Amino acid sequence: MTQAPVRTDTDILAIAREQVLDRGVGLDKQQTVQVLTLPEDRLEELLALAHEVRMKWCGPEVEVEGIISLKTGGCPEDCHFCSQSGLFQSPVRAAWLDIPSLVEAAKQTAKTGATEFCIVAAVRGPDERLMAQVAAGVEAIRNEVDIQVACSLGMLTQDQVDQLAAMGVHRYNHNLETAKSHFPNVVTTHSWEERWDTLRMVREAGMEVCCGGILGMGETVEQRAEFASQLAELEPDEVPLNFLNPRPGTPFGDLEVLPAAEALKAVAAFRLALPRTMLRFAGGREITLGDLGAKQGILGGINAVIVGNYLTTLGRPAESDLDLLGELKMPIKALNETL
C-alpha cells in the first residue's frame, strides 16, 4: 500500500486554502507559478480548491453572454493569432453587419437566457462611421431586447469612452492578450501600454472593465503567471480566458494547441489569483478541452461562459452549454441582478 504524500504548510495548495479561500487574498505571481507547475496528479485537488474559492467569493451563478461582430476582417493591426488582420493571408475578409441583423442576433442571444450581448469590431480603434453604427445598434437593441450591451471596439480616445458611456454601454472589453513581457512577440503595431490606457479610461468613466487574453501563444509558465498578476493589478470586473485555436494564414497558425491539463491548471490558477473576478470561458475551449474539459473548468473556477459561436471560429451550440449548467445545478445570472 503506497502512502499519500506528506503535505506541509509550505505546500502551495495549503497556502492557497488559507490565503485565498479563507481570506480572499489572491495569489501573487510567484505563488501562481507554483500552482501552474504542480504535477498532473494534483490537478483534481487544484480544481476542487478553485471551485471552492469561486463558490465562496462569487457564488453559484453563471453569467451567459453572446457576441456578434459588427465589423469583421480588414483590421490594420498585426495580432499574430488573429485571422481578421488585413496583413495576413488568412481567410476572413472585411464585412459589415447591418442594424436589423444586429438586433436579431441580440434577440436570439437573449432567448438562450444570456444577460449580456457584446458588439465587437475588428479595428485598431473606432472611426466616426463605426461610432455612429454602434450608437444606432445600441439604441435599436435597447428599444427591442431586454439585455445588457457591451462593446469591444479596440483602443479608444477619451471622447469615444465618454460617448460609449453616454450610450449606456454596460461593459467594455479590451484584452491585454498576454503578459507585458510577451506582448511584443504577439503584436508589433501597437503597445501593451496603449491597451492599458484604454482600460484605465473605461474604468474612470464608470463602465465595467472586461479584460483577459489568450493562453497558448508561446508564453512561458512564468509569463502566464505574470499575466495573471497584471490582471489582478488592473482589477477587471471580468476576465475572458481564451485558448489559442491556431488559424491558418496567421503567424501563430502552426503553434500546438495547449494540452488540456495545462489549460485546466491555468483556469484554476487564474481563479486563485483573482478570487472575486468573473472568469469567463471564451474562445478555443472546444478544441483545447472538449466537453469533459468544459465541465471540469466550470467545476474548477469558471463562472461565466460565451455561448454559441465566436468571431471567426465555431463554438459549442448554446443549448449544450445551457444543458451542462443545468446538469451541474449552476443557475444562470438573471438580468435584473446585473442592472
Side-chain angles (χ1 to χ4, degrees), residues 13-291:
L13 293 190
I15 292 168
R17 179 167 290 279
E18 187 278 329
Q19 177 181 319
V20 188
L21 181 61
D22 295 349
R23 294 191 284 121
V25 177
L27 298 184
D28 63 24
K29 178 183 171 184
Q30 196 48 50
Q31 290 172 322
T32 305
V33 171
Q34 289 179 261
V35 168
L36 289 168
T37 53
L38 281 168
E40 264 187 54
D41 63 5
R42 300 199 67 191
L43 178 59
E44 195 172 321
E45 183 186 355
L46 168 62
L47 291 171
L49 175 59
H51 183 60
E52 283 188 75
V53 167
R54 169 266 173 114
M55 293 295 280
K56 176 169 182 179
W57 296 107
C58 299
E61 291 183 327
V62 176
E63 191 192 82
V64 176
E65 178 183 48
I67 60 175
I68 192 74
S69 184
L70 177 62
K71 189 262 178 185
T72 303
C75 181
E77 304 305 289
D78 74 343
C79 305
H80 291 13
F81 54 83
C82 186
S83 58
Q84 299 202 63
S85 172
L87 305 176
F88 308 143
Q89 296 301 311
S90 42
V92 177
R93 297 276 66 88
W96 286 76
L97 190 69
D98 60 43
I99 299 304
S101 299
L102 194 65
V103 173
E104 182 58 30
K107 287 179 178 176
Q108 293 306 314
T109 298
K111 283 181 182 176
T112 70
T115 55
E116 192 89 14
F117 180 72
C118 188
I119 301 170
V120 183
V123 289
R124 175 185 174 88
D127 58 15
E128 284 188 25
R129 177 192 177 193
L130 179 54
M131 289 297 289
Q133 283 280 97
V134 169
V138 170
E139 183 180 15
I141 290 168
R142 289 169 71 87
N143 286 341
E144 295 194 44
V145 191
D146 187 19
I147 199 165
Q148 295 278 26
V149 180
C151 286
S152 180
L153 312 172
M155 291 172 286
L156 302 174
T157 64
Q158 183 63 61
D159 184 55
Q160 289 167 338
V161 169
D162 295 341
Q163 287 180 55
L164 291 172
M167 289 175 205
V169 171
H170 164 66
R171 184 182 295 159
Y172 193 79
N173 164 258
H174 192 50
N175 289 338
L176 288 170
E177 302 301 7
T178 191
K180 186 176 180 179
S181 67
H182 188 52
F183 191 85
N185 301 316
V186 178
V187 183
T188 69
T189 48
H190 60 265
S191 69
W192 193 90
E193 289 82 0
E194 286 176 280
R195 291 187 176 227
W196 184 274
D197 287 344
T198 287
L199 293 161
R200 176 185 51 76
M201 289 188 289
V202 166
R203 156 79 36 78
E204 289 172 357
M207 285 182 281
E208 288 191 2
V209 172
C210 170
C211 178
I214 305 174
L215 304 181
M217 296 194 294
E219 75 279 359
T220 64
V221 167
E222 288 74 17
Q223 286 170 325
R224 219 166 277 164
E226 176 195 342
F227 184 36
S229 68
Q230 286 161 347
L231 287 171
E233 181 186 345
L234 178 67
E235 296 183 329
D237 299 276
E238 173 190 341
V239 171
L241 274 184
N242 299 269
F243 305 97
L244 183 68
N245 183 348
R247 297 287 84 204
T250 66
F252 287 170
D254 294 327
L255 288 184
E256 296 287 325
V257 172
L258 197 66
E262 268 194 70
L264 287 169
K265 256 194 264 189
V267 166
F270 274 65
R271 170 52 67 207
L272 296 180
L274 299 150
R276 293 176 174 82
T277 302
M278 190 184 301
L279 199 57
R280 188 181 296 278
F281 256 159
R285 62 187 166 108
E286 296 79 14
I287 188 172
T288 304
L289 296 171
D291 289 350

